[in-house]
Amino acid sequence: MMRICTAPMWNKHFGYVLLEVLIVVGLLAFLLSLGVISYSALWGGRQFQHQAQELVNLFQMAQEASAQSDRRYAVILDFVEQKYVLRQFASLDLQTIPEEEAVIHTGYFTDRFQLDYVLYDDLEDTRDKENVTEARFYAGRSGWQYGGKVVIRDGDGNPWSILISRMVQPVRLVEGDVPILLPQKPDEMRF
């Protein structure tokens, strides 16, 4: 008598093929996840560089605009609202212009572009004070009222310094928390 089997017959080869397909799919998923992680890290780094360069450009814009006009410009870094503002004043004695006309640009700090602290070249440091709400850099016809550095941090917490010199030099973005040049006293100068 012949028996009829209703269940499908599974052979050894089908099991090996299924195992191979699962391994290939697992490897592809692993490689894809590595690619996504690498891309997001690359994107985050580029996003930080873009935002940092935007802030450097605002400092440069303030310096160049004040050198060509009778107006004074300020880059204001707001620690409370985590934003930065480029604004203008009517003259060198800081006469105000209505707010809607005075503000030229506003940008915001993020978790990938964080404001850490400001150190002026007269050694005033925002880390030394409690309840610091903002830091200001004023640009006039002959350069910056104060020089110093703005320390920002990228998404990984690494420090970067924006260096502002009192002399008419380009504002620079430098990796790390670097020292600043301090102004010399008159008796220290050679001429």
Side-chain angles (χ1 to χ4, degrees):
M1 197 181 209
M2 190 181 211
R3 284 187 133 170
I4 299 178
C5 183
T6 58
M9 297 196 79
W10 296 90
N11 62 24
K12 291 192 279 184
H13 298 292
F14 182 74
Y16 289 126
V17 170
L18 180 61
L19 183 61
E20 289 172 349
V21 168
L22 289 174
I23 289 172
V24 168
V25 168
L27 284 173
L28 287 175
F30 176 73
L31 291 174
L32 182 63
S33 68
L34 286 179
V36 167
I37 290 169
S38 297
Y39 180 75
S40 66
L42 177 66
W43 175 252
R46 287 191 180 175
Q47 186 179 12
F48 170 81
Q49 287 288 337
H50 174 74
Q51 289 176 301
Q53 194 58 50
E54 179 182 289
L55 184 55
V56 168
N57 290 343
L58 284 182
F59 277 101
Q60 282 298 125
M61 189 184 309
Q63 186 176 19
E64 291 168 6
S66 63
Q68 298 172 3
S69 69
D70 288 334
R71 295 190 173 200
R72 194 165 205 178
Y73 292 81
V75 176
I76 303 165
L77 306 168
D78 190 325
F79 287 93
V80 176
E81 295 186 28
Q82 287 295 297
K83 69 179 183 178
Y84 51 94
V85 176
L86 172 61
R87 70 162 290 150
Q88 63 181 326
F89 295 92
S91 64
L92 294 180
D93 59 357
L94 301 178
Q95 293 176 352
T96 58
I97 298 174
E99 191 73 22
E100 62 275 359
E101 296 174 29
V103 174
I104 298 169
H105 182 82
T106 301
Y108 292 90
F109 295 101
T110 65
D111 58 341
R112 292 191 176 269
F113 177 59
Q114 304 166 5
L115 175 60
D116 191 0
Y117 72 94
V118 172
L119 174 65
Y120 294 102
D121 60 8
D122 66 353
L123 299 180
E124 183 179 341
D125 191 336
T126 59
R127 295 173 296 181
D128 294 340
K129 297 181 175 183
E130 291 182 35
N131 303 324
V132 173
T133 59
E134 65 182 31
R136 292 181 176 224
F137 285 88
Y138 290 102
R141 213 171 246 262
S142 60
W144 294 97
Q145 180 180 2
Y146 292 101
K149 69 178 175 180
V150 176
V151 177
I152 53 179
R153 295 199 178 265
D154 61 18
D156 296 327
N158 300 318
W160 291 73
S161 299
I162 298 174
L163 302 175
I164 300 106
S165 173
R166 284 191 198 208
M167 307 309 255
V168 182
Q169 294 179 358
V171 176
R172 297 181 301 137
L173 176 65
V174 180
E175 188 173 0
D177 189 349
V178 298
I180 59 173
L181 294 175
L182 301 175
Q184 293 183 331
K185 298 176 184 168
D187 59 336
E188 296 174 339
M189 299 181 80
R190 295 184 186 188
F191 53 90

